[in-house]
């Protein structure tokens, strides 16, 4: 006996129960497939495999014998299974169930989580196959692999410590924001593809707002004018486009919360009611405007076309990251040389171009200890106010007065409610 984790030495009946439950859960799913595929292993086989793993855990000799036994049975089942495409999922699942039983004697929570994940993976066979063959294009799969490589390989290599040459700003959270932007680009494309032009456009507007609400409003406004001069107000898709633009403003409030959670998590609890008030007001206004018929009649045509090829717009994401660093440097310099007034002015000026950059800069400075909590809240509200002005003007230039009016009817009341919420906290 080596480490005393076996059931014989410790009486770890809870681990044994988790192992049995894991085997039953996975076995139930495999039992449903047993008749269709002709597998020899079903509910009882998977449960016994998990129990063998639990009973032999901590006993090297018995563990080796049990592993060889289960692996041998899995290979035998694979050999006996006939058909043009027999596969080996069930055999691998049987051996994985044995390993889960072993793990149950060490870490109950991990074993239970693995059992649920494996059972879910097996149960979602058809949806996953449909996703692989029909739901994702080759370009989208390539995008997903690039994002995974960035998150698992590149991101850990970026320094996590505050950088003195950037005024104490940490680069890894900034890189995480870039990955978030790229992920939302892919999610927006998939939303249009899977949900269709109406629901997909609304969700795409929301997700694109996490990247840039201003750019989203400009793009949607340009679609309002596609019918030609003077036809903007007659556009039957105006209501839908305005709703998508309004949802991009909701994303701005949510993005501010995500930035705080990433760069200054200690401040999120204090400012989350303010940000939630802004987002909730925007959502309520969008719902009210739609119900009261302020928007034009329902749409009759699809206003968007599905983009082909890669959804990753690297230039846009990197540009956002560079702008974040530039605005961070501006606000840091203003704090050092001009005091609180300089920070407010820097936040307002930065917000004219992008709302996320000054929020990120203020949060990074607050996390580094170079900014007071009061100045953080004031700066965020100033940045969002100046950016609301930019978005209103952009909506008017891109989509006309009617489109801008609908956007402004969401932007400014939501900001006013957030400012009121901040004043009473």
């Amino acid at each position: 006996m080596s480490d005393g984790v076996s059931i014989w030495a410790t009486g770890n009946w809870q681990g044994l129960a988790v192992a049995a439950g894991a085997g039953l859960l996975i076995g139930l799913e495999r039992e449903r497939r047993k008749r269709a595929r002709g597998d020899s292993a079903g509910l009882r086989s998977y449960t016994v495999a998990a129990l063998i793993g639990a009973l032999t855990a901590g006993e090297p000799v018995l563990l080796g014998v049990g592993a060889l036994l289960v692996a041998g049975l899995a290979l035998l089942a694979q050999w006996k299974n006939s058909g043009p495409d027999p596969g080996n999922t069930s055999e691998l699942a049987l051996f994985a169930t044995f390993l889960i039983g072993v793990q149950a004697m060490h870490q109950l929570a991990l074993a239970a989580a693995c059992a649920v994940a494996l059972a879910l993976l097996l149960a979602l066979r058809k949806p996953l196959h449909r996703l692989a063959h029909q739901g994702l294009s080759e370009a989208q799969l390539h995008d997903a692999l690039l994002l995974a490589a960035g998150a698992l390989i590149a991101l850990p290599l970026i320094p996590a410590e505050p950088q003195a040459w950037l005024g104490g700003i940490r680069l890894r959270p900034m890189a995480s924001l870039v990955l978030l932007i790229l992920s939302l680009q892919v999610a927006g494309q998939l939303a249009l593809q899977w949900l269709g032009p109406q629901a997909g456009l609304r969700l795409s507007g929301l997700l694109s707002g996490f990247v840039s609400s201003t750019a989203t409003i400009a793009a949607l406004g340009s679609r309002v004018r596609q019918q030609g001069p003077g036809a903007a107000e007659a556009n039957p898709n105006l209501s839908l486009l305005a709703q998508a633009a309004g949802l991009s403003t909701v994303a701005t409030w949510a993005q501010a919360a995500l930035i705080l959670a990433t760069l200054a998590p200690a401040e999120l609890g204090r400012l989350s009611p303010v940000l939630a008030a802004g987002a909730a007001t925007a959502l309520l206004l969008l719902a009210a405007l739609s119900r009261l018929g302020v928007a034009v009649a329902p749409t009759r045509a699809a206003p968007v076309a599905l983009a082909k090829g890669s959804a990753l717009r690297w230039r846009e994401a990197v540009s956002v990251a560079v702008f974040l660093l530039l605005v961070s440097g501006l606000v840091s310099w203003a704090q050092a040389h001009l005091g609180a007034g300089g920070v407010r002015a820097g936040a307002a000026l930065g917000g004219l171009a992008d709302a996320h950059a000054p929020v990120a800069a203020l949060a990074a400075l607050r996390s580094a200890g170079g900014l007071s909590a009061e100045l953080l809240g004031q700066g965020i509200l100033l940045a969002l106010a100046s950016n609301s002005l930019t978005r209103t003007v952009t909506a008017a230039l891109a989509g006309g007065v009617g489109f801008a009016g609908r956007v402004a009817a969401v932007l400014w009341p939501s900001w006013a409610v957030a400012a009121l919420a901040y004043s009473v906290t």
Side-chain angles (χ1 to χ4, degrees):
M1 178 165 41
S2 58
D3 54 9
V5 297
S6 70
I7 184 68
W8 313 107
T10 64
N12 188 358
W13 303 109
Q14 189 177 12
L16 188 66
V18 169
L24 285 169
L25 179 64
I26 300 169
L28 278 172
E29 195 287 328
R30 289 290 86 187
E31 185 73 28
R32 295 173 63 88
R33 288 279 298 158
K34 181 178 178 180
R35 295 179 182 176
R37 188 174 180 268
D39 290 343
S40 56
L43 173 62
R44 292 176 296 175
S45 299
Y46 282 86
T47 305
V48 171
L51 289 175
I52 291 174
L55 293 172
T56 60
E59 302 285 351
V61 176
L62 290 177
L63 181 61
V65 172
L68 289 174
L69 174 63
V70 175
L73 291 174
L75 290 174
L76 179 61
Q78 172 68 13
W79 176 73
K80 290 176 60 179
N81 190 26
S82 60
D85 184 20
N88 52 20
T89 302
S90 293
E91 291 72 28
L92 291 173
L94 182 64
F95 193 74
T97 304
F98 165 78
L99 295 178
I100 289 173
V102 175
Q103 191 61 48
M105 308 306 294
H106 298 266
Q107 300 184 55
L108 294 175
L110 178 60
C114 289
V116 173
L118 178 56
L120 186 62
L121 180 65
L122 295 171
L124 294 178
R125 170 182 171 272
K126 289 185 178 179
L128 289 175
H129 285 185
R130 188 163 52 249
L131 175 66
H133 294 290
Q134 303 173 12
L136 290 177
S137 66
E138 185 174 348
Q140 290 165 344
L141 180 60
H142 184 259
D143 290 344
L145 292 175
L146 285 177
L147 289 174
L152 300 176
I153 299 175
L155 190 61
L157 298 178
I158 298 175
E161 299 76 17
Q163 303 297 306
W165 61 282
L166 289 175
I169 294 172
R170 294 177 294 160
L171 286 177
R172 186 177 295 178
M174 291 291 185
S176 299
L177 290 177
V178 173
L179 282 175
L180 175 64
I181 290 171
L182 293 171
S183 300
L184 291 170
Q185 291 172 355
V186 175
Q189 186 188 72
L190 292 176
L192 289 174
Q193 177 179 324
W194 293 347
L195 301 179
Q198 294 200 23
L201 182 61
R202 293 186 181 95
L203 182 57
S204 181
L206 176 65
L207 295 176
S208 298
F210 284 93
V211 180
S212 173
S213 179
T214 304
T216 302
I217 290 172
L220 293 169
S222 67
R223 296 183 182 277
V224 175
R225 293 187 181 272
Q226 281 180 354
Q227 291 184 343
E233 292 305 313
N235 190 335
N237 293 320
L238 178 60
S239 173
L240 179 60
L241 293 164
Q243 290 173 37
L247 285 169
S248 78
T249 70
V250 176
T252 300
W253 297 102
Q255 177 77 324
L258 288 174
I259 291 173
L260 284 176
T262 303
L263 300 178
E267 297 298 322
L268 181 61
R270 186 177 67 88
L271 292 177
S272 57
V274 178
L275 301 175
T281 303
L283 287 172
L284 289 173
L285 287 170
L286 284 169
L289 290 174
S290 177
R291 288 181 62 86
L292 292 174
V294 175
V296 184
T299 63
R300 64 169 180 261
V304 294
L306 294 178
K308 297 182 179 180
S310 174
L312 297 179
R313 300 186 293 275
W314 291 94
R315 180 182 301 177
E316 177 181 300
V318 173
S319 299
V320 170
V322 172
F323 188 68
L324 284 173
L325 293 175
L326 290 176
V327 173
S328 298
L330 170 65
V331 175
S332 179
W333 179 88
Q335 164 73 0
H337 295 85
L338 303 178
V343 172
R344 296 187 184 96
L349 290 174
L352 289 173
D354 182 82
H356 306 149
V359 173
L362 293 166
L365 287 174
R366 174 59 181 164
S367 179
L371 201 69
S372 67
E374 180 182 5
L375 199 53
L376 171 67
Q378 294 174 357
I380 289 176
L381 286 174
L382 282 172
L384 293 175
S386 62
N387 192 254
S388 295
L389 176 61
T390 298
R391 285 179 282 177
T392 302
V393 174
T394 299
L397 295 176
V401 176
F403 179 72
R406 290 168 172 80
V407 174
V410 175
L411 274 172
W412 292 105
S414 62
W415 183 89
V417 171
L420 179 63
Y422 178 77
S423 67
V424 300
T425 54

